[in-house]
Amino acid sequence: MATQTKKNSPSLEQVTTINEDGSRYFLHPSDVRGVFTSLRRWFGYILIAIYVALPWIPINGYPAVFIDLANRRFHLFGITLIPQDLWVLFFGISGLGFLLFFVTALLGRLWCGWACPYTVFLEHVYRRIERWIDGNAPKRRKLDAAPWTGSKIVKRLIKYSLYFLVSTLLAHVFLAYFISIPELWNYMALGPFAHPFSFGVVAFFTITFLFCFAWFREQFCIIMCPYGRLQSVLTDEQSVVIGYDEKRGEPRGKGKPRNNLGDCIDCHRCVHVCPTGIDIRNGLQLECIGCAACIDACDQVMGALKLPKGLVRYDSEVGLERKKKKWIRPRIFVYGILGLIGLIAFTTVAFFKASPYYVNVFRSRGVAPFVADAESVRNQFEFLVINKRNQPVNFEVVLTEAPPGATLVGETERQLDPLEEEAFQLKVVVPSDQYAGPADLKFAFKSNLPGKLREMKESFSGPNVYYLKRLIEGE
């Protein structure tokens, strides 16, 4: 796969990764060192470590994050959610969404360059492997254009073998979030044909990772990612983004002394290190992921020329124009408040207000209130109880609101094992001489687990009340 030479500098009229004949121009960003690059790399390694470690960290007997689809249980940092609790995730997802809006409105596309999983794996894993095997950017471009010799074949085999190994590991870690680490080891020991669906998931994601990080690369950020399109909506002239100080840098020119020239020497170093191939001097663009590689590159050049750093820097549009920035703006206030509301609501409900068990009660389907004998009227109720904690629970069902003389018949005291689900039936019996038609019932569920007493309402009888009364009175 040969890399064609890009004849023209990046412009606002054409995507850098497309040649004049419409073919793909493969980028080979130059390596760069600097404060932001070092911070971003360490931050990326921390995020990778968190991604790998979460399935291994036990909290209350389960991994810190365990999406147990088979049993419809979702374990998140010590709490367990069941499908009936998923409404709580609305607050968490909306809170995180508005928090992302808040960060974008305040600091631009910081998420993309520093925390997006796609960028983290591409820049800090796959491109590090490529630099280690193929060398720096000029060597990589030269190797791409070179004929297939023995040396090139060996390097390609080593590089893509490492790509495949890393992709397989990442796919297995991803599967561990859904089946747990012990089950993952068990599946691997039994072989791929014992669990073909899980094997298919791993194979699919391995191929997907290999395709994205080995070939598709920055095209995802440029073509597919919707977040870049939202950038123009979420940011304004006050947002802190990466920008070029045109007042200081223009007019561009080579060499010293800087008579009648700006500080930019037009070395294109900022272009060479850009992972999406843009020229930041053309202004903020959709392709910019806010990685700050161009800042470190330009600061290196400015340091060598003994000129002040910051020709390319984190700043707002008004800041680059030497105007006063406004940190607090209506959109910042609105996004921040909505994000906090969502996250506080999710944390409060999920971690502090959520019941340790789920209960539900309803009249048995197809069973109407009936006269069991001349002295009583009965109705049958279905109960569903789910223990959401990793410990046994003892509970008792009692009637707290019912017609006079009503009693609960059946096994009202029960024990559930950790995360056990049980459905059972109980009857409510009302003496005939005290039966007066429709009545509301309230069932209370008392347990040994801490939490609010759960109460559920249901109606004792329905539309056949008058028929029952005729039976009771012997008509």
Side-chain angles (χ1 to χ4, degrees):
M1 180 175 59
T3 301
Q4 299 186 34
T5 302
K6 195 76 174 177
K7 296 181 179 180
N8 300 324
S9 298
S11 67
L12 298 177
E13 287 74 31
Q14 183 179 353
V15 178
T16 307
T17 55
I18 299 178
N19 289 303
E20 293 181 358
D21 60 359
S23 60
R24 165 88 176 274
Y25 174 70
F26 287 87
L27 294 175
H28 289 289
S30 299
D31 211 353
V32 62
R33 295 181 180 180
V35 175
F36 291 112
T37 300
S38 297
L39 289 175
R40 196 166 65 99
R41 187 165 298 160
W42 280 110
F43 187 66
Y45 291 152
I46 291 172
L47 292 178
I48 293 172
I50 292 173
Y51 169 74
V52 174
L54 283 178
W56 295 83
I57 301 174
I59 302 178
N60 289 338
Y62 287 90
V65 178
F66 180 28
I67 306 173
D68 188 1
L69 294 178
N71 296 306
R72 297 182 299 170
R73 301 288 188 270
F74 309 93
H75 307 276
L76 301 174
F77 302 103
I79 66 168
T80 299
L81 301 177
I82 60 177
Q84 291 85 349
D85 294 326
L86 292 186
W87 61 271
V88 178
L89 292 180
F90 166 78
F91 296 103
I93 294 172
S94 60
L96 290 174
F98 281 113
L99 181 62
L100 182 60
F101 289 176
F102 170 82
V103 172
T104 305
L106 189 66
L107 301 173
R109 208 169 167 182
L110 195 70
W111 159 265
C112 291
W114 290 72
C116 173
Y118 192 91
T119 302
V120 167
F121 288 126
L122 175 59
E123 294 297 324
H124 306 308
V125 178
Y126 288 84
R127 274 188 168 143
R128 302 311 301 172
I129 292 174
E130 185 174 54
R131 289 183 172 100
W132 177 50
I133 300 297
D134 292 345
N136 58 26
K139 289 182 179 179
R140 296 198 301 272
R141 284 190 286 268
K142 183 178 179 181
L143 185 63
D144 273 1
W148 285 94
T149 61
S151 174
K152 181 174 180 177
I153 292 173
V154 169
K155 286 186 176 182
R156 286 291 184 267
L157 286 174
I158 295 174
K159 183 173 73 171
Y160 283 99
S161 296
L162 291 175
Y163 282 172
F164 179 78
L165 175 62
V166 172
S167 299
T168 304
L169 291 175
L170 293 179
H172 278 83
V173 173
F174 178 78
L175 181 62
Y177 278 87
F178 297 88
I179 65 172
S180 78
I181 291 293
E183 279 298 303
L184 178 63
W185 289 121
N186 182 45
Y187 283 18
M188 294 171 66
L190 294 175
F193 299 107
H195 299 277
F197 179 77
S198 297
F199 174 74
V201 170
V202 170
F204 172 78
F205 279 100
T206 298
I207 294 172
T208 300
F209 292 152
L210 193 61
F211 169 77
C212 288
F213 298 124
W215 187 82
F216 201 54
R217 296 195 163 185
E218 74 286 334
Q219 298 302 300
F220 180 85
C221 305
I222 296 173
I223 299 172
M224 295 183 62
C225 181
Y227 186 52
R229 275 78 180 166
L230 291 174
Q231 182 177 237
S232 59
V233 178
L234 298 174
T235 59
D236 55 24
E237 69 278 0
Q238 302 287 349
S239 302
V240 177
V241 295
I242 295 178
Y244 165 66
D245 192 341
E246 188 175 349
K247 290 182 178 294
R248 174 185 156 189
E250 302 296 325
R252 308 169 194 173
K254 301 283 187 180
K256 293 183 178 181
R258 309 299 297 159
N259 296 332
N260 300 320
L261 294 175
D263 286 351
C264 179
I265 62 172
D266 204 21
C267 63
H268 283 77
R269 177 66 176 159
C270 58
V271 178
H272 296 157
V273 301
C274 180
T276 57
I278 68 169
D279 188 342
I280 194 63
R281 297 172 299 177
N282 292 330
L284 183 64
Q285 297 152 68
L286 178 148
E287 297 95 326
C288 178
I289 61 172
C291 66
C294 54
I295 297 179
D296 284 335
C298 187
D299 283 349
Q300 282 183 329
V301 174
M302 292 296 104
L305 296 175
K306 298 187 178 348
L307 293 173
K309 297 180 180 180
L311 179 61
V312 178
R313 61 180 182 270
Y314 278 115
D315 206 341
S316 64
E317 183 179 330
V318 294
L320 293 171
E321 293 291 332
R322 310 296 194 273
K323 298 177 182 177
K324 186 178 180 180
K325 293 193 288 286
K326 293 181 180 179
W327 292 98
I328 305 300
R329 311 185 300 281
R331 68 172 62 198
I332 296 293
F333 182 79
V334 172
Y335 294 154
I337 293 297
L338 291 176
L340 285 176
I341 290 175
L343 293 178
I344 291 173
F346 171 76
T347 303
T348 303
V349 174
F351 287 90
F352 300 105
K353 296 295 184 180
S355 173
Y357 52 91
Y358 169 82
V359 295
N360 198 4
V361 58
F362 47 88
R363 285 183 296 169
S364 297
R365 295 178 178 86
V367 178
F370 60 94
V371 179
D373 48 52
E375 298 179 353
S376 65
V377 179
R378 302 186 179 190
N379 204 349
Q380 187 169 285
F381 294 86
E382 302 277 351
F383 294 82
L384 174 65
V385 182
I386 303 175
N387 181 10
K388 299 193 298 183
R389 292 294 180 265
N390 190 30
Q391 64 186 86
V393 56
N394 297 311
F395 70 93
E396 180 185 5
V397 183
V398 296
L399 272 173
T400 58
E401 182 180 311
T407 57
L408 199 57
V409 177
E411 188 179 348
T412 58
E413 295 185 6
R414 293 176 176 269
Q415 178 177 346
L416 265 67
D417 292 331
L419 300 177
E420 185 182 4
E421 176 180 333
E422 183 179 1
F424 57 94
Q425 297 177 346
L426 296 175
K427 293 183 177 67
V428 176
V429 180
V430 179
S432 299
D433 56 356
Q434 299 185 48
Y435 179 74
D440 289 332
L441 302 176
K442 184 180 288 186
F443 300 91
F445 297 81
K446 300 178 180 180
S447 77
N448 62 325
L449 294 181
K452 184 179 179 181
L453 180 70
R454 296 300 304 276
E455 292 186 323
M456 304 291 291
K457 287 187 176 181
E458 185 52 80
S459 174
F460 176 73
S461 56
N464 52 353
V465 173
Y466 299 105
Y467 174 69
L468 284 172
K469 287 184 69 65
R470 289 196 299 272
L471 286 175
I472 294 170
E473 296 169 1
E475 297 181 6

